[in-house]
Amino acid sequence: MDQTRRVIRAGDGVEISFVVIDGNEPAIVILHGLAGSGQEFLPTARALAGRKVILIDQRGHGMSTRLPSDLSRQAFVADAISVLEGEASGPVHLVGHSMGAHTAMLAAAARPDLVRTLVLLECGEKNGSDQEHGALGEYFRSWPVPFRDRSTAAKFLGDGPLQWAWIDDMEYREDGLHPRFDPEVMVAALTPLSEPRWTEWARVQAPVLAVYAGDGMFTEEEKAHFVERGNDVTRVDLPGGSHDAHLDAFNQWMEALTSFLDVR
């Protein structure tokens, strides 16, 4: 798989790092969720062999600037649009997970000319409440960083697919392993997600695949309401998955994704 890491500089000086995997266009551009990075979607990219895939590390994540001052939804969207404008020859298949899906939704609303289709994994008009965001921040602050090694990290974090995605993405330093995100940045990035974005959702004209997991973060009422208020939405449920279904229900995720993309 021929891949190249590239960097663009946003208007506020933040560096956005992303990986481009060569292949046929239209490109598939993927935005990870909170506290993740493009790396966790490498298995998805490999399963899409032959297609051009772009994996973006959103600001504050992965190889992008770790401590950006602007963590507004507008900043995240502008970053994604800059990559789309610079790396794709035409409208793309835009894919996002959780916070990244929210970013993708807003980007599709702002720039419909850049988005051929939209795939939203575990997304709503808002993602989580202030109370839930606060609890997640406390969890990230509780990590006894640095971890001595991978086994120490796994002993604390757990042995699931999400935990290993975090461990695999950690940065090696002289004193041990460090996550590629800052807890305070994560909390600040989450805060704007509490605001409902029904107006932007109504503006999305591209065909949408809304993918939900059986053990995800949204209630059935929330899922149904979101889908009903979209313009051209196909819903697929993954009964075996969690909120991170691209990791723990991979085969179901890929079947849903490829079935949608193959006819568009």
Side-chain angles (χ1 to χ4, degrees):
M1 191 168 62
D2 188 8
Q3 64 184 62
T4 306
R5 183 168 287 278
R6 301 176 186 170
V7 175
I8 62 167
R9 187 177 294 273
D12 60 354
V14 168
E15 291 189 342
I16 303 300
S17 180
F18 57 98
V19 168
V20 178
I21 299 167
D22 287 341
N24 297 324
E25 297 209 39
I28 301 168
V29 180
I30 304 180
L31 295 166
H32 62 82
L34 186 87
S37 76
Q39 176 172 295
E40 70 189 58
F41 278 94
L42 278 173
T44 295
R46 295 188 188 102
L48 294 168
R51 299 175 182 262
K52 182 175 182 178
V53 180
I54 300 173
L55 306 175
I56 301 175
D57 288 353
Q58 297 190 85
R59 57 177 52 213
H61 297 76
M63 302 294 287
S64 294
T65 296
R66 190 75 48 86
L67 300 172
S69 59
D70 188 352
L71 291 160
S72 65
R73 292 279 73 212
Q74 292 87 342
F76 281 89
V77 171
D79 296 340
I81 288 173
S82 293
V83 175
L84 299 187
E85 289 179 325
E87 295 295 331
S89 61
V92 305
H93 299 294
L94 186 56
V95 180
H97 166 238
S98 192
M99 183 190 74
H102 194 268
T103 304
M105 176 186 73
L106 298 181
R111 290 294 303 273
D113 58 307
L114 296 176
V115 180
R116 182 187 183 101
T117 66
L118 182 63
V119 179
L120 306 175
L121 173 60
E122 283 283 297
C123 182
E125 81 287 353
K126 65 175 183 175
N127 277 26
S129 65
D130 291 338
Q131 183 177 3
E132 291 168 330
H133 297 164
L136 192 56
E138 288 303 311
Y139 170 62
F140 289 141
R141 295 185 191 104
S142 75
W143 291 17
V145 175
F147 294 107
R148 186 176 67 249
D149 51 31
R150 287 167 58 86
S151 62
T152 303
K155 185 176 181 179
F156 177 81
L157 296 174
D159 195 31
L162 172 61
Q163 290 73 29
W164 278 109
W166 281 330
I167 295 168
D168 289 340
D169 201 34
M170 285 186 180
E171 178 183 2
Y172 286 88
R173 300 182 193 170
E174 289 185 3
D175 60 348
L177 294 173
H178 293 255
R180 293 189 186 273
F181 60 83
D182 178 85
E184 304 312 319
V185 170
M186 296 301 96
V187 172
L190 280 171
T191 300
L193 289 167
S194 299
E195 177 187 351
R197 297 286 189 149
W198 289 119
T199 300
E200 290 88 345
W201 178 226
R203 291 186 188 137
V204 174
Q205 297 300 317
V208 178
L209 174 66
V211 183
Y212 290 107
D215 193 25
M217 68 177 286
F218 297 97
T219 67
E220 178 54 37
E221 182 180 4
E222 290 170 332
K223 298 173 191 176
H225 192 38
F226 182 71
V227 170
E228 287 168 4
R229 292 186 63 167
N231 291 309
D232 182 6
V233 186
T234 300
R235 174 177 167 179
V236 173
D237 291 274
L238 311 182
S242 73
H243 182 63
D244 300 284
H246 62 294
L247 299 174
D248 58 30
F250 181 76
N251 291 337
Q252 295 177 50
W253 157 242
M254 288 309 307
E255 181 179 357
L257 178 63
T258 56
S259 295
F260 181 74
L261 296 182
D262 284 348
V263 297
R264 290 166 174 82

